[in-house]
Amino acid sequence: TFTADSSSNKDLRVSFTFETKQPVLVKVALSPVSCANAKLNMETEVPGWDFEDLRKKVRNDWNTELSKIEVQETSLSKKRIFYTALYHCFIAPNIYCDVNGDYMGRDKKIHRDTAHAQYTVFSLWDTYRALHPLFTIVQPERNRDFIHTFLKQYKEGGRLPVWELSANETDCMIGYHSVSVIVDAWMKGQTDFDTALAYEAMKASAMADERGLKSYKKCGYIPAEAEGESVSKTLEYAYDDWCIMQAAERMGNKEDFLYFMLRAQSWRNVFDEQTRFMRARFNNSFMEPFDPGEVNAHFTEANAWQYSLAVQQDVNGLIYSMGGNEAFLKHLDKLFSASSGTSGRKQPDITGLIGQYAHGNEPSHHMAYLACNAESPFIAQDFIRRIMNDLYSDQPDGLCGNEDCGQMSAWYVLSALGFYQVTPGLDQFVIGIPAFEEVILNFGNKKTKLTVRGAYPDETYLIGTWINGKNNNKGWFTLADITTGSQIDYIMSAGPVSEDNAYDALDMTTHSPFSGILIPAAPRIQSGQGKSFEDELKIELITNVSDPVISYRLNDGSPQQYSGPFLIRENTKLEAWASNDPDKFEISYGMSGISYAEFIKAPGWKVISITHPYAAQYSAGGKNALVDGIRGGLNFRSGEWQGYEKNDMEVVIDLGSRKQITGVSCGFLQDPGVWIWLPEEVVFYASEDGKKFTRYDLYKNTTNEKINSTENCASGKLQKARYIKLVAKNRGTCPAWHPGNGKPCWLFADEIIIETK
């Protein structure tokens, strides 16, 4: 026996050489705690050396798990797809404790729990959508231990997991979707955990000031200038807040229920009623120009097409805001039939495209089922069947995107059974279209049989469901319908039936938590231009309800009620809010978040030429962004920076007349983590006619290339001229020490300031 303790030597390597022609048997054991526990795990779990016996045991164990769902199907290919998917679903999360209950906590201390297994690998932004709802059906005990793991991590590390790996928080995705997993189990009656502690932990996640939450709490949305991926984060947080609202109601906490009801409607603050897309708000206006197919810093691994239906908690409210069922269905049809091309930055996660529906990534996964809410289940069935048939196969490339710890496969498993949980946290599995003639769900000594009655399998449509011989007069199943030992019959037809058919008239709507309680959206400023203006600017405040009471104040002055558009002629800070009480200046029940904006009077210079093009997704508003009076901070996603990939920045500025120049400067950003570096040098030129330029100064960069910083590259030399030219040299490629070694660098500039007498 050889034991290597690497605790004092992280670079330890061991090599063995065996001088034998006989097979060599090796056992390997792991422990997150100690070598002694690894040995104990081995002695307990694999005490012998009979490889074939162990392989047989593992095979039997997997067959037991996979037999929780038995499909009757003559097509071997379809069975392979299904059981490969089910196998993928059960691989993660992984047990992260030893046989004696020891585990490494989030506090990096050793703990012991012999009642519940500790788990790791929580890819929750992905798996909350379908994998965990599937677990509530076929693996409720395991799902319970996941929640116990969450709560232990909260007690030991002070927060619920976002994307946890080996007792570490990676924070690599958005939202706080452990909340969704907890509340989904809670609402289904699977409450073998401390609900009071769970509620405390969920509120702690929601009330933190990290990851854009400070702005979100203050404004009711995340401004683009405050945080990257602002639209996606606003939408994901709003869904999670709806989950907490559900829990607050169960806890009997009316104050929290009303507070989180307000936050759960935050999606309205980024929804544009005109374009019917979710859009980023910069300085309290929707960012222009707008292309729903553009992949940019305002969305997470997606674009506006793929996030504008991310309102699982209020589908009916979204349909109403889009103009009703007909308008909503037209939007869905455009989603699935649009060109699959995208603009903006490259995003390898956007795959499995049907139009702009991207099944290879998670934000799209619930969308096919939304046609059911618009009273068109047959349209939903067409979408669902197309996804199952076109985007899953039994070949090595049988998935159209990243498996993401089982989510891609969980979508298929649930959909093939004939239903999908659009809104985890709501005990409703929306009915779709079954893929198999018969399925048996095994729950210990109970079984549920799902059986197709009528036409099967070609191009058939579901026209109704029966549960234990009774007509199911709704468009969904509850968990109890599925798990309490039932006979569920899918009634099929050879084609879509008329609109007068009973199934088409069934109640397809889901519970709407906001019925009759519409929170006004945070007032949006419609000024016709961005943050900067030259002479005067007309300000108009709008929100999403008719006859709103909008209040505002300028430059920290007294609040006043908005009665119509007004003009500003100087640098102005504006705050605005909508409520039924114009004198109330705080976020409260029935009131919107507070909108903030700042307007800068520009100096009047004009950029007359830019030699090398800036990137469309980092335009900062266009050609004159470099002389609009606005300066960017350390966040490159703020919308205030103009970005150049590979290119130098070369700009010519017209001062309008010949002036005595006392100083010229330009701001640049350095963020090596995203391949942005300060320029190697900045050269300053002057001209009388805009054609012949004379070089008069040079700035050489000496800043440490490994730090994040903003640098003001300046010249203080006196010069008389009408035209100024700046050339900032891009460093070209990433340095050898960087993970992007040899790849193109970015150069980000914000504001050119020219001082004159």
Side-chain angles (χ1 to χ4, degrees), residues 62 66 80-94 127 131 134-135 142 392-393 395-396 398-399 401-410 413:
W62 270 110
L66 297 178
R80 281 197 188 110
I81 294 169
F82 182 84
Y83 282 109
T84 300
L86 191 59
Y87 169 73
H88 286 181
C89 291
F90 292 164
I91 292 175
N94 309 136
T127 57
L131 183 69
L134 175 64
F135 283 150
R142 193 175 172 206
Y392 291 86
S393 80
Q395 298 305 302
L399 294 177
N402 188 343
E403 175 62 87
D404 282 320
C405 298
Q407 169 60 29
M408 194 70 64
S409 289
V413 169

Side-chain angles (χ1 to χ4, degrees), residues 10-21:
K10 296 183 183 300
D11 296 322
L12 179 68
R13 301 289 187 273
V14 179
S15 175
F16 297 93
T17 301
F18 300 94
E19 295 181 357
T20 177
K21 295 182 179 180

Side-chain angles (χ1 to χ4, degrees), residues 387-513:
I387 296 166
M388 285 197 290
N389 291 344
D390 293 355
L391 299 180
Y392 291 86
S393 80
D394 62 351
Q395 298 305 302
D397 60 350
L399 294 177
C400 64
N402 188 343
E403 175 62 87
D404 282 320
C405 298
Q407 169 60 29
M408 194 70 64
S409 289
W411 185 95
Y412 184 87
V413 169
L414 287 175
S415 295
L417 296 180
F419 46 78
Y420 186 83
Q421 192 169 359
V422 170
T423 310
L426 187 64
D427 186 10
Q428 292 182 348
F429 292 85
V430 177
I431 299 170
I433 182 82
F436 301 107
E437 192 168 7
E438 183 175 285
V439 176
I440 297 173
L441 305 177
N442 291 302
F443 308 109
N445 58 1
K446 296 184 298 182
K447 297 179 184 294
T448 293
K449 183 181 288 188
L450 311 173
T451 306
V452 167
R453 305 293 185 192
Y456 179 83
D458 297 326
E459 297 305 314
T460 55
Y461 289 83
L462 178 67
I463 60 172
T465 58
W466 290 67
I467 302 176
N468 292 331
K470 294 182 179 180
N471 189 6
N472 177 31
N473 62 352
K474 57 189 187 300
W476 65 85
F477 302 131
T478 64
L479 182 69
D481 291 334
I482 297 168
T483 61
T484 53
S486 305
Q487 171 68 47
I488 295 177
D489 293 321
Y490 291 110
I491 313 303
M492 309 295 289
S493 168
V497 293
S498 70
E499 293 183 0
D500 296 329
N501 180 273
Y503 183 66
D504 213 26
L506 290 180
D507 180 9
M508 299 302 300
T509 59
T510 57
H511 168 66
S512 179

Side-chain angles (χ1 to χ4, degrees), residues 118-165:
Q118 181 81 0
Y119 280 85
T120 188
V121 189
F122 288 108
S123 181
L124 292 164
W125 180 80
D126 308 293
T127 57
Y128 88 85
R129 305 168 193 269
L131 183 69
H132 289 281
L134 175 64
F135 283 150
T136 65
I137 299 173
V138 297
Q139 296 267 19
E141 299 84 5
R142 193 175 172 206
N143 204 55
R144 172 204 62 192
D145 282 355
F146 298 158
I147 295 172
H148 280 282
T149 297
F150 295 168
L151 299 183
K152 285 183 283 188
Q153 292 188 355
Y154 168 70
K155 288 192 292 185
E156 296 154 8
R159 61 184 300 200
L160 290 171
V162 173
W163 208 124
E164 181 272 352
L165 179 65

